[in-house]
Amino acid sequence: MTTYDQLLISEQQAMQIAHTFFGLSGKITRLTGELDFNFKIDTGETSFVLKVARPDVDEAYIDFQQKIIAQVAERNPLIRTPRIIPDRGQQTVSTWMDEAGLARKIRLLTWTDGRLWSSVHPHTEGLLYSLGEQAGLITQALSGFDHPKAHRSIHWDIDRGDWTFEHIHLFSDRQAELAAFFQNRFRELLPALARLRKGVIHNDANDNNIVVSSDLVDPQVLAIIDYGDAVFSSLINDLAVAIAYAIMDKPDPLAAALLILSGYHHRFSLLEDELEALYTLVAMRLIISVTKSAINKRLEPDNVYLLISEKSAWELLEKWAQINPTLAYCHFRAACGYPAHPTENAFHHWVKAHPVALGTLFPGLDIADITPVDLHVGSTWLGNRSEFSDNDWMTTKLLHLQKQHPRTVIAGGYLETRPFYTTDAFKKEGIQGPEYRTVHLGIDFWLPAQTPIHVPYPGKVFCITHNDFDKDYGPTLIVEHSFDGHPFYTLYGHLTFSSLTLLQVGQTVQQGDLIAYIGADHENGNWSPHLHFQCMLDLLGNTANFPGVAFPKQTAVWSSICPDPNLFFQQKNLPPAVAKIDPEQLLSGRKKHLGRSLSISYQKPLTMLRGDGVYLLDHQGQKYLDTVNNVAHVGHEHPHVVQAGQQQMALLNTNTRYLHPAIVALAETLLATFPPELSVVHFVNSGSEANELALRMAKTYTRQRDMIAVEVGYHGNTNATIDVSSYKFDSKGGSGKPAHTHLVPLPDTFRGRYQGENTVSAYAAHVQTQIEYIQSLGRNVAAFICESIISCGGQIELPENYLRLAYAAVQAAGGLCIADEVQVGCGRVGSHFWGFQLHGVIPDIVTIGKPLGNGHPLAAVVCTAAVADAFANGLEFFNTFGGNPVSCAIGKAVLDVVRAENLQQQAWEVGNYLKNALRELQHLFPIIAVVRGQGLFLGFELTDAHKNPLPQQTAYLANRMRQLGVLMSTDGPDHNVLKIKPPMVFGLEHADELIDRLAGVFKEDFMREF
């Protein structure tokens, strides 16, 4: 027997063959292959694939290969197909005698430029869809083509997969169990499989036969090559093969399969019976693969190509087995535009003709109508998490709503996207990051505990169970009914424990029979007593409970499997809670009515409806870890802050011309965090207003107008603050530096004018230079304004002693020093409460922004008594809303939370942990050029090896992180800095999540280039 090593062709032999038969020379590279030995030949001008067959291949097979390539090329120009290159004698198939005297068939094809699927990362949604499209185009192009060799029997033909039955002994116990499960399904499928459409298919769209474009951001499949395994088989098998290989190693294989299926169906329409077989056919291709691997391990242990997919295939089989086949079929149908559940249309027709009164469900109640209640993610009625997590509070609100609407039932929830389901129990890892099951599939009826429930249609008890793992929820009852020979089911959740004894499984019930009672608070997960009522057309293999919520992306499928229960009652006041928010409509309205200078974050904008600590929730209830919004200083919608604002707003909100304790309380609490020299505060509404007032104070105190500011600094959006913000006036649309503004270089020791250590004197000297220049004009400096850590400049930490030297020069000239703490104040830097304290200086004026109000429009200017006295020159300072009681109550609450929850210490500990973790990433991924910042005000810069900025990679990273559920933002003069300034409740677990996601993105193709 000839061994694999004896059949092997060396690169040197291949090069000799190429030169002898085709006159080619150049660089040669071995490629993978099973039937042929393949080589890439790069001549410097173009590239080719040399295919050397094994000795036992016959000429008819080679003819089949040549003709199928010609067929595809002729039928569809959208398909990139290799061209056949004749040899020097104009033969398209040549014969070469190897050293053992064996005849080898030789062919040469043009090379298809691109990357192999196996080398591409990540496999984006668009890439998966384009794979389906290319596979569909090939199936279409091969329509009507035939050849005698297409009818040969090969192991890779799924239609003939029953050969694997004899080899199940090769597998371990769990592997054998998985193989038997899918083989049994295949055995049952064989009669239906024989009736499916047949034709010649490619049959081998594996990782190394798919060529992908060089576009690293939006890659597309260019071609599916190598027709060596083409065979006459069921057409659907071509799709099954493409899916089987492409969804390996995907966290959500079904979602990935649906994208491929959608693309395929777009190019080649599939029939319902083909879709019904697809789940099993995908698995059967994997069974063939692992069986071949098990056999080939013994025959050719050195042929790595034969074993390459084995581990991933078994992992996929395990995941695939966890997917209910009927549920997969429903998804396949929806992806191809069919009603997701096969009986959906028939059920809608039947139930329309067989409605029941709501009183049938609750016959003992005097019900005149329905009062809908809004519990969707953006519901203002639902309120803060601290409110809807408080059962007593929610019960009070529901009772009040009921009192307002007597003789009605409070109800709602079908297809409502709710904010309750954001724990790990409702989470999965999707193709584009974490996803949460937030879409409610039933209707909730709020009624008193012990309210009797009666069955609306005749049927029999399918199950009545109680989850022992969840003691806080009462039993669930499912009753099976029928319509036109098909089953449907009704589910009743949150029942009394006594309901377990009312009925027996299998018991027949008639319409109107008593079946259960609504549970009390302790039987409703400590929520107000209510019934969860749900309809299902299929139990999807569930024998006890059934999912009550679905993933938003799967709403079309689940709404088909679980139709609206209100179809039974046809209550006009109870419409499905779908499409409460339409992002496209919002975007259109924004473009129509708002100024075009108002920007939107991310390539695909987000619609945010709720904040919760370190997270933001979008309109579908999906959670995003927020590393951007330092304005939500103590966490989005912190309950103590929310309550303080609500309570004061209910009493009084007015201006500062009246005495009120709130403004004094806030002033005392705030000033207690400052050195004693800074003893006077003025309250305003925003950081821009604070800096505007600070500049005005400086001009009043010094009677000068000239300001010294730092390049790329940003201090606000008013006229005066724009005048000292080079980040704005030097950017596109800016009018350039005003005459009374004097800039000093951004003190960036990494990529700035002076780099490395011992540069502080050089940077600080520019302040003195500008002072002398101002004085040479016969004027003097009014103030020097500088952020304590420069944010928009790229999270730049000031060199040690920079502020000491700068402040000394300015104050010696009679000017004032303004510390802009809008971004970094209130404990964020961790080691100190204020950023300027990092530098051992005391400014004359400190400005504070909206973090003081946790997002509420509140800001402040703190200054020395001398500055305050000079400002009080008779011209009254009045701000209508600055210092109002509501704002002051909120500001005081924020400072109280910082202290009570020890958030300054948390910023220090978590910030150091995160900074060290980022530096560990830096060692792994040199594209991270530098990590800097203090506490929870950090940033890292992306450059190449020569310190050239990489703004495209920075933007890519931010957008990919958004897809993965983490919000990040870019900044810096070259837009190559990722800034991290999350709410202060950001913990170690959130830091770990951020680092894990970053590490994944840095491994992606677009980032690995550097």
Side-chain angles (χ1 to χ4, degrees):
M1 179 178 177
T2 305
T3 66
Y4 176 74
D5 285 341
Q6 290 172 323
L7 296 175
L8 192 66
I9 302 296
S10 70
E11 284 89 342
Q12 184 179 3
Q13 287 175 310
M15 197 68 256
Q16 290 174 347
I17 293 169
H19 180 72
T20 301
F21 286 87
F22 302 98
L24 296 178
S25 61
K27 180 182 177 183
I28 190 161
T29 307
R30 181 182 298 278
L31 305 174
T32 57
E34 181 184 9
L35 298 177
D36 295 325
F37 295 97
N38 301 317
F39 301 87
K40 178 185 178 184
I41 300 173
D42 185 356
T43 67
E45 295 180 356
T46 187
S47 298
F48 302 89
V49 177
L50 177 70
K51 300 178 76 67
V52 182
R54 297 181 184 229
D56 53 356
V57 70
D58 63 30
E59 292 189 22
Y61 170 76
I62 297 293
D63 180 67
F64 172 46
Q65 290 296 295
Q66 300 293 81
K67 286 182 177 176
I68 198 172
I69 291 173
Q71 165 80 9
V72 174
E74 180 182 334
R75 286 288 299 273
N76 197 327
L78 293 177
I79 304 173
R80 295 194 184 186
T81 308
R83 288 186 297 106
I84 299 168
I85 306 298
D87 65 13
R88 287 176 166 176
Q90 297 305 304
Q91 299 295 313
T92 57
V93 179
S94 311
T95 301
W96 170 71
M97 303 300 294
D98 67 14
E99 294 176 354
L102 300 174
R104 304 290 194 99
K105 296 300 180 184
I106 307 297
R107 292 179 290 149
L108 188 71
L109 304 175
T110 55
W111 172 262
T112 302
D113 282 325
R115 302 176 291 157
L116 291 181
W117 181 276
S118 57
S119 69
V120 176
H121 182 64
H123 293 159
T124 64
E125 292 184 349
L127 180 63
L128 291 164
Y129 184 87
S130 72
L131 170 60
E133 282 197 299
Q134 284 296 318
L137 286 170
I138 290 175
T139 304
Q140 183 186 67
L142 291 174
S143 177
F145 173 78
D146 206 352
H147 191 282
K149 275 298 175 181
H151 296 267
R152 73 200 187 285
S153 177
I154 62 172
H155 281 164
W156 292 108
D157 181 6
I158 300 177
D159 277 3
R160 295 181 169 91
D162 52 0
W163 70 266
T164 63
F165 296 177
E166 300 176 4
H167 299 279
I168 198 168
H169 65 278
L170 298 174
F171 305 130
S172 65
D173 292 344
R174 178 54 185 163
Q175 290 175 343
E177 183 181 349
L178 281 170
F181 171 74
F182 289 116
Q183 287 172 341
N184 288 336
R185 286 191 59 85
F186 182 72
R187 186 180 288 110
E188 295 170 0
L189 178 65
L190 283 172
L193 189 61
R195 297 189 293 271
L196 299 184
R197 293 183 294 176
K198 309 293 180 182
V200 177
I201 62 173
H202 179 281
N203 196 43
D204 197 19
N206 69 57
D207 286 16
N208 293 299
N209 286 339
I210 302 169
V211 180
V212 179
S213 68
S214 58
D215 187 334
L216 302 183
V217 176
D218 184 25
Q220 300 289 305
V221 171
L222 298 177
I224 300 174
I225 59 175
D226 194 347
Y227 290 81
D229 284 338
V231 69
F232 188 89
S233 186
S234 298
L235 297 183
I236 188 66
N237 287 338
D238 221 9
L239 174 62
V241 171
I243 288 176
Y245 289 110
I247 66 175
M248 286 185 188
D249 304 315
K250 301 293 186 295
D252 188 347
L254 179 58
L258 294 176
L259 291 164
I260 301 167
L261 168 60
S262 296
Y264 187 94
H265 182 73
H266 175 66
R267 295 298 186 178
F268 186 82
S269 297
L270 293 164
L271 305 179
E272 293 176 73
D273 56 351
E274 292 171 325
L275 296 175
E276 193 167 8
L278 183 58
Y279 170 85
T280 301
L281 296 175
V282 169
M284 204 59 209
R285 177 65 178 215
L286 295 168
I287 295 297
I288 292 172
S289 179
V290 296
T291 304
K292 288 281 287 182
S293 293
I295 294 171
N296 289 328
K297 279 180 185 178
R298 301 181 178 184
L299 298 178
E300 296 183 7
D302 297 328
N303 191 345
V304 179
Y305 174 73
L306 300 176
L307 314 177
I308 195 167
S309 301
E310 184 181 19
K311 180 176 182 294
S312 295
W314 280 117
E315 290 174 351
L316 176 54
L317 282 166
E318 187 70 64
K319 289 181 179 179
W320 204 244
Q322 305 307 312
I323 300 169
N324 178 266
T326 303
L327 179 60
Y329 175 45
C330 292
H331 278 284
F332 297 156
R333 290 175 58 91
C336 294
Y338 296 110
H341 197 275
T343 66
E344 177 187 358
N345 288 342
F347 175 76
H348 278 257
H349 179 76
W350 178 87
V351 77
K352 187 176 181 180
H354 298 82
V356 295
L358 186 59
T360 307
L361 192 62
F362 308 114
L365 300 180
D366 180 17
I367 302 172
D369 209 342
I370 293 284
T371 296
V373 63
D374 180 5
L375 303 183
H376 93 287
V377 66
S379 168
T380 54
W381 186 89
L382 191 58
N384 188 276
R385 176 172 291 276
S386 64
E387 295 177 294
F388 66 70
S389 299
D390 185 335
N391 179 59
D392 292 338
W393 175 241
M394 290 306 297
T395 299
T396 300
K397 291 179 71 173
L398 287 162
L399 288 173
H400 180 68
L401 185 63
Q402 183 73 75
K403 186 177 179 180
Q404 290 178 307
H405 301 277
R407 296 190 63 225
T408 69
V409 175
I410 298 171
Y414 181 64
L415 299 188
E416 190 169 54
T417 300
R418 293 179 168 180
F420 316 133
Y421 313 112
T422 55
T423 64
D424 287 348
F426 299 94
K427 178 182 178 181
K428 74 170 182 179
E429 187 67 19
I431 298 176
Q432 297 286 1
E435 297 177 19
Y436 296 85
R437 289 188 293 133
T438 57
V439 178
H440 194 250
L441 295 175
I443 294 175
D444 290 327
F445 295 98
W446 274 268
L447 290 163
Q450 297 293 326
T451 296
I453 304 165
H454 296 248
V455 68
Y457 294 97
K460 65 179 180 180
V461 177
F462 180 83
C463 69
I464 181 165
T465 58
H466 175 240
N467 293 329
D468 291 334
F469 64 84
D470 197 339
K471 303 293 185 182
D472 292 333
Y473 286 88
T476 298
L477 166 68
I478 297 178
V479 178
E480 181 179 352
H481 313 276
S482 67
F483 74 98
D484 299 340
H486 304 290
F488 76 96
Y489 306 83
T490 52
L491 179 149
Y492 311 81
H494 307 308
L495 308 177
T496 62
F497 291 113
S498 63
S499 298
L500 286 166
T501 62
L502 283 179
L503 303 168
Q504 299 294 321
V505 173
Q507 178 179 337
T508 299
V509 291
Q510 300 301 319
Q511 185 178 48
D513 283 355
L514 174 68
I515 55 173
Y517 296 93
I518 292 179
D521 291 2
H522 66 283
E523 295 162 317
N524 269 275
N526 291 322
W527 249 69
S528 302
H530 68 284
L531 170 69
H532 174 85
F533 181 60
Q534 190 169 326
C535 173
M536 299 89 72
L537 299 184
D538 203 305
L539 291 183
L540 306 174
N542 290 280
T543 57
N545 285 310
F546 190 88
V549 285
F551 294 101
K553 291 181 179 178
Q554 300 176 357
T555 300
V557 173
W558 282 100
S559 62
S560 177
I561 298 169
C562 302
D564 186 354
N566 192 38
L567 291 170
F568 300 142
F569 314 119
Q570 299 180 14
Q571 290 285 325
K572 294 181 179 179
N573 282 1
L574 199 58
V578 293
K580 282 185 175 293
I581 297 292
D582 181 354
E584 290 300 321
Q585 191 175 43
L586 288 178
L587 184 59
S588 175
R590 181 180 174 118
K591 290 179 178 178
K592 180 179 179 181
H593 301 297
L594 301 182
R596 287 185 298 167
S597 60
L598 196 64
S599 64
I600 301 176
S601 296
Y602 307 111
Q603 291 174 350
K604 185 177 180 181
L606 287 165
T607 303
M608 293 302 189
L609 297 185
R610 180 175 290 273
D612 187 1
V614 296
Y615 294 101
L616 287 173
L617 277 68
D618 71 8
H619 65 294
Q620 294 185 324
Q622 303 306 292
K623 267 195 334 186
Y624 294 83
L625 180 64
D626 186 1
T627 74
V628 176
N629 287 289
N630 61 318
V631 173
H633 192 65
V634 297
H636 290 284
E637 322 324 316
H638 191 288
H640 181 63
V641 177
V642 170
Q643 185 181 53
Q646 288 174 334
Q647 290 177 342
Q648 184 55 50
M649 192 176 294
L651 293 178
L652 174 71
N653 198 26
T654 186
N655 60 56
T656 54
R657 288 200 169 108
Y658 302 99
L659 296 178
H660 195 278
I663 192 170
V664 176
L666 174 58
E668 291 176 346
T669 304
L670 179 62
L671 291 174
T673 66
F674 280 94
E677 292 88 344
L678 294 161
S679 58
V680 182
V681 60
H682 295 73
F683 292 112
V684 290
N685 302 300
S686 69
S688 294
E689 280 195 18
N691 279 322
E692 172 89 16
L693 179 57
L695 297 174
R696 182 179 159 194
M697 285 179 164
K699 292 174 184 177
T700 302
Y701 181 87
T702 63
R703 299 185 179 183
Q704 300 294 327
R705 297 177 58 197
D706 290 81
M707 299 290 173
I708 299 175
V710 179
E711 284 180 337
V712 206
Y714 176 61
H715 303 286
N717 60 20
T718 65
N719 283 340
T721 55
I722 289 290
D723 280 351
V724 293
S725 299
S726 117
Y727 179 75
K728 288 296 184 182
F729 64 65
D730 280 336
S731 66
K732 183 179 180 180
S735 55
K737 184 179 70 66
H740 284 80
T741 297
H742 310 274
L743 296 180
V744 294
L746 178 69
D748 176 6
T749 59
F750 176 64
R751 282 202 313 121
R753 182 179 298 190
Y754 312 110
Q755 298 178 15
E757 298 179 2
N758 304 316
T759 58
V760 63
S761 297
Y763 276 117
H766 284 272
V767 176
Q768 181 62 43
T769 299
Q770 292 292 22
I771 293 171
E772 292 172 359
Y773 173 73
I774 295 168
Q775 291 173 339
S776 73
L777 300 175
R779 308 194 297 255
N780 205 351
V781 59
F784 168 62
I785 184 168
C786 182
E787 300 165 82
S788 301
I789 299 177
I790 298 176
S791 178
C792 293
Q795 309 295 83
I796 302 295
E797 287 187 84
L798 302 175
E800 186 177 358
N801 287 325
Y802 176 78
L803 280 190
R804 282 182 183 271
L805 296 171
Y807 277 24
V810 171
Q811 289 171 338
L816 299 183
C817 296
I818 303 171
D820 184 333
E821 295 277 333
V822 170
Q823 296 270 14
V824 298
C826 299
R828 178 164 291 277
V829 297
S831 59
H832 299 82
F833 202 83
W834 301 105
F836 68 81
Q837 293 172 318
L838 294 167
H839 307 282
V841 296
I842 298 178
D844 301 288
I845 304 174
V846 178
T847 57
I848 311 160
K850 286 181 287 294
L852 181 60
N854 212 53
H856 180 82
L858 169 65
V861 178
V862 175
C863 62
T864 63
V867 171
D869 289 344
F871 188 61
N873 61 1
L875 179 63
E876 178 192 15
F877 170 74
F878 177 70
N879 187 308
T880 302
F881 300 108
N884 71 77
V886 172
S887 297
C888 289
I890 289 172
K892 174 71 161 53
V894 170
L895 294 176
D896 289 344
V897 169
V898 171
R899 182 181 63 253
E901 297 184 10
N902 204 19
L903 295 184
Q904 182 182 339
Q905 180 65 24
Q906 177 162 321
W908 173 248
E909 293 173 358
V910 176
N912 285 336
Y913 176 85
L914 183 54
K915 194 173 183 179
N916 289 332
L918 287 169
R919 284 176 171 161
E920 289 179 12
L921 278 187
Q922 184 181 11
H923 292 305
L924 297 173
F925 307 105
I927 189 175
I928 304 176
V930 65
V931 178
R932 55 186 172 235
Q934 292 290 323
L936 285 177
F937 197 79
L938 303 175
F940 58 91
E941 187 165 356
L942 304 186
T943 75
D944 64 15
H946 305 289
K947 293 188 179 182
N948 296 311
L950 298 173
Q952 291 181 324
Q953 283 71 22
T954 308
Y956 176 88
L957 179 61
N959 280 286
R960 279 291 290 140
M961 291 293 283
R962 167 245 183 269
Q963 291 175 347
L964 296 170
V966 179
L967 303 180
M968 299 194 76
S969 182
T970 65
D971 225 323
D974 295 306
H975 310 289
N976 69 316
V977 177
L978 275 300
K979 52 188 179 183
I980 302 171
K981 47 189 184 71
M984 295 268 280
V985 289
F986 196 86
L988 293 175
E989 69 277 18
H990 307 122
D992 286 337
E993 181 180 353
L994 171 61
I995 293 296
D996 287 345
R997 296 293 184 186
L998 283 171
V1001 178
F1002 277 120
K1003 294 174 184 176
E1004 295 180 359
D1005 297 338
F1006 194 69
M1007 307 301 290
R1008 285 188 305 174
E1009 290 294 295
F1010 297 90

